Amino acid sequence: MWAWLFARHHGGKFILRIEDTDQKRFDPNALQTLMEALRWIGIDWDEGPEVGGDYGPYVQSERLEHYQQWARWLVDNGHAYYCYCSSERLAEVNKQKQAAGLPSGYDRRCRFASPQEIEQLAAECAAEGRKPVVRLKMPLEGETRFNDLVRGEVVFENKDVQDAVLLKADGFPTYHLAVVIDDYLMGITHITRAIEWLPSAPLHVTLWRAFGWEMPQYAHLPVMLNPNGKGKMSKRNPPRDAKGNIIPVMVHDYINGGYLPEALANFLIGVGWSFGDEREVFSVPEAIERFGDFSRISPANSALPAEKLEWLNGVYIREQLSLEDLAKRLKKPLQEAGLTVDDARLLKVAPIVQTRIRTLNDVVAMAGFFFHDTFKPPTAEQVIQKKMDAAITYRALEEAIPLLETVEPFTLEALHTVFSDLGQMLSLSNSQMFGVLRVAVTGQTVSTPTFETMEILGREETIARLRTVLGLL
Ligand code: ZN
């Protein structure tokens, strides 16, 4: 999201590239889901799948010839070498290193073998039906430094860095090789990626230098941690909120959960980045305006502020949506709950739920009753309010009916006055009197307010409902 804001701020191009070279982990359905999620939240791309561009294809598995060609170039020019070791040998090397208390990793046998030894190893490898991998010749001493846009100058000791595999035996590149070649060929100027890639950065810097290409700018960004601050958010091990409920990590869970794309965008942009002026609520265009550099990003990983999204979503529903827009968005959850939605009625319901719901889905529990085919009456216990009994509750409803028949006009204000007076006459507080009426007309204890609801239902429907409830008491 930040990379997109940065590109949009500078009038640059935002590129969507699909890195699918880890064939074991790649799920083709995931790509469609990912693109849907990006579009839903408002991220568009200037080049990439479904959009095209001058530097395609934008799917790495369709670019294998580039990687193979440049891997050969690296070997031919002394920056990389073929490694013929079997996975069994690599495992054995690691075991021995561990036993000797050394850090694990490849022992560089094939880098330093004599030409005769290489010939022998190559022959064995071929006889076993295996292909060699290509490994980077990482400098053995000295340091690799580069300037990170979030972290400033970063320094690595070369001796701590492995001769990483660049091209695998199956002809697929690793991330290290593919990302550098693609970033070069696609003319990338700025790379933003998660902090967990920082340890690989010296490999990439070494590759840029080996190729003799001008290196883009790197920004290694903080990641979102679980709400308790421990561990990175992951879908395999989903985080939980203070009450122990699972917090979804996939955008689709938020789409289905009744969240607004505007609120989720605001939320995601704000975790680890500050808008300034202590502002928590800002639009995407406002964030683009401010996102000229990476200086407002905190380098440290931040814990997910689990409650903030729901709060923000409520703010957007209350303050940012017109009633027409809100009504349009409420239709989907109501329909998905199996209700037949009348648009004119929904437009009347929208203002009375607007200040009371925090997700769009909340409308179903609170105001779904407006769209039931037949009235589902409450139980007697639900209608009877605090410090009341069945007799006085019955009386309140009984007296209410003739008043509903005659009150003019049938509006919120007039109803309020009439029933306030009735409550007084029966020695009931407004909360008791209005509570009885509210549960009676809505059929539920948590619902929209009494007189607004009556106004929408209309005189006849309101009276019919009270009569039904009266029969139950
Ligand atoms: Zn080897």
Side-chain angles (χ1 to χ4, degrees):
M1 192 102 211
W2 290 339
W4 179 81
L5 295 176
F6 182 75
R8 291 290 169 260
H9 177 96
H10 291 285
K13 290 204 163 151
F14 183 74
I15 295 165
L16 179 63
R17 184 172 71 217
I18 307 305
E19 304 192 337
D20 61 344
T21 58
D22 189 346
Q23 292 284 300
K24 268 176 274 176
R25 283 175 54 191
F26 185 67
D27 167 9
N29 296 328
L31 174 57
Q32 213 49 45
T33 310
L34 167 85
M35 291 195 292
E36 269 171 39
L38 289 173
R39 288 196 169 114
W40 180 79
I41 207 165
I43 293 181
D44 55 347
W45 49 99
D46 306 295
E47 296 174 28
E50 295 184 351
V51 172
D54 295 339
Y55 302 95
Y58 293 91
V59 178
Q60 286 186 330
S61 58
E62 297 169 18
R63 303 172 58 79
L64 296 184
E65 61 198 273
H66 290 297
Y67 313 129
Q68 291 165 359
Q69 177 202 329
W70 284 108
R72 268 198 303 280
W73 186 93
L74 287 169
V75 173
D76 292 347
N77 287 274
H79 300 295
Y81 59 98
Y82 291 109
C83 167
Y84 300 94
C85 301
S86 66
S87 49
E88 293 77 22
R89 173 169 192 275
L90 297 177
E92 185 57 34
V93 167
N94 267 336
K95 223 168 99 187
Q96 285 173 11
K97 282 194 163 186
Q98 272 168 7
L102 295 167
S104 62
Y106 180 52
D107 62 357
R108 296 184 163 119
R109 176 178 72 163
C110 303
R111 176 167 174 178
F112 295 110
S114 69
Q116 292 87 340
E117 285 169 323
I118 289 292
E119 215 172 297
Q120 172 82 27
L121 291 170
E124 279 172 22
C125 185
E128 288 170 27
R130 290 188 290 109
K131 289 220 159 81
V133 303
V134 174
R135 286 187 185 269
L136 175 67
K137 272 189 193 169
M138 191 63 203
L140 300 174
E141 25 187 63
E143 291 168 345
T144 297
R145 313 171 163 256
F146 72 98
N147 187 59
D148 184 275
L149 294 172
V150 174
R151 288 153 214 286
E153 188 175 56
V154 192
V155 184
F156 294 89
E157 294 284 339
N158 290 337
K159 66 176 169 50
D160 299 334
V161 184
Q162 299 268 323
D163 283 0
V165 173
L166 301 176
L167 195 70
K168 294 179 275 188
D170 61 3
F172 276 74
T174 57
Y175 170 78
H176 310 303
L177 181 67
V179 77
V180 169
I181 291 175
D182 286 346
D183 286 343
Y184 170 68
L185 293 178
M186 294 179 180
I188 305 297
T189 56
H190 292 79
I191 298 167
T192 63
R193 60 185 180 189
I195 178 71
E196 62 233 56
W197 289 108
L198 190 60
S200 316
L203 296 170
H204 306 148
V205 173
T206 302
L207 276 171
W208 284 104
R209 289 179 185 154
F211 284 125
W213 297 334
E214 193 191 334
M215 197 169 83
Q217 305 255 336
Y218 279 98
H220 285 89
L221 307 173
V223 294
M224 220 182 276
L225 302 176
N226 287 322
N228 62 8
K230 287 178 199 155
K232 205 183 81 166
M233 296 264 291
S234 105
K235 62 178 166 183
R236 282 188 203 123
N237 187 13
R240 289 173 187 275
D241 66 15
K243 290 180 208 140
N245 302 314
I246 286 184
I247 300 170
V249 294
M250 303 301 286
V251 172
H252 275 77
D253 296 326
Y254 291 98
I255 301 176
N256 298 331
Y259 289 86
L260 307 184
E262 300 93 324
L264 188 61
N266 185 156
F267 173 75
L268 291 176
I269 293 167
V271 181
W273 180 75
S274 69
F275 184 89
D277 313 331
E278 306 201 343
R279 261 180 72 180
E280 300 277 8
V281 183
F282 46 80
S283 69
V284 168
E286 286 172 322
I288 289 173
E289 182 74 37
R290 288 241 169 169
F291 213 102
D293 57 40
F294 295 89
S295 61
R296 293 176 185 277
I297 292 177
S298 129
N301 296 336
S302 9
L304 176 89
E307 295 76 31
K308 192 174 157 188
L309 176 58
E310 208 174 81
W311 169 77
L312 262 178
N313 206 58
V315 170
Y316 274 81
I317 288 176
R318 287 194 300 280
E319 298 173 8
Q320 309 282 329
L321 299 185
S322 69
L323 291 174
E324 289 75 19
D325 190 2
L326 175 61
K328 224 161 62 190
R329 300 196 205 206
L330 292 173
K331 197 167 175 175
K332 183 174 156 246
L334 288 166
Q335 285 178 328
E336 282 174 358
L339 301 167
T340 310
V341 180
D342 175 82
D343 287 336
R345 176 166 276 194
L346 180 55
L347 199 54
K348 290 184 194 159
V349 172
I352 63 170
V353 296
Q354 187 166 33
T355 54
R356 297 181 168 83
I357 54 174
R358 288 203 285 180
T359 72
L360 298 173
N361 294 2
D362 289 346
V363 74
V364 177
M366 178 166 292
F369 68 88
F370 278 109
F371 306 97
H372 288 167
D373 296 334
T374 49
F375 177 47
K376 291 197 182 91
T379 63
E381 295 79 63
Q382 287 173 320
V383 188
I384 299 166
Q385 301 294 297
K386 268 188 201 146
K387 297 187 182 159
M388 290 176 72
D389 58 21
I392 184 70
T393 305
Y394 188 93
R395 172 111 199 267
L397 288 173
E398 195 180 33
E399 300 270 356
I401 290 171
L403 294 172
L404 286 166
E405 282 166 344
T406 54
V407 60
E408 280 302 340
F410 197 81
T411 57
L412 165 65
E413 294 78 16
L415 290 163
H416 189 280
T417 312
V418 164
F419 288 109
S420 198
D421 292 348
L422 175 62
Q424 258 177 19
M425 195 192 90
L426 299 174
S427 304
L428 295 173
S429 70
N430 276 356
S431 113
Q432 288 173 313
M433 183 68 226
F434 300 172
V436 168
L437 294 169
R438 188 177 59 78
V439 178
V441 292
T442 64
Q444 41 191 65
T445 51
V446 176
S447 68
T448 48
T450 315
F451 304 119
E452 282 91 336
T453 303
M454 287 183 170
E455 217 182 347
I456 294 170
L457 289 173
R459 194 190 303 265
E460 270 180 48
E461 179 68 27
T462 302
I463 293 169
R465 288 181 174 210
L466 291 204
R467 285 193 201 283
T468 304
V469 175
L470 211 44
L472 298 172
L473 286 168

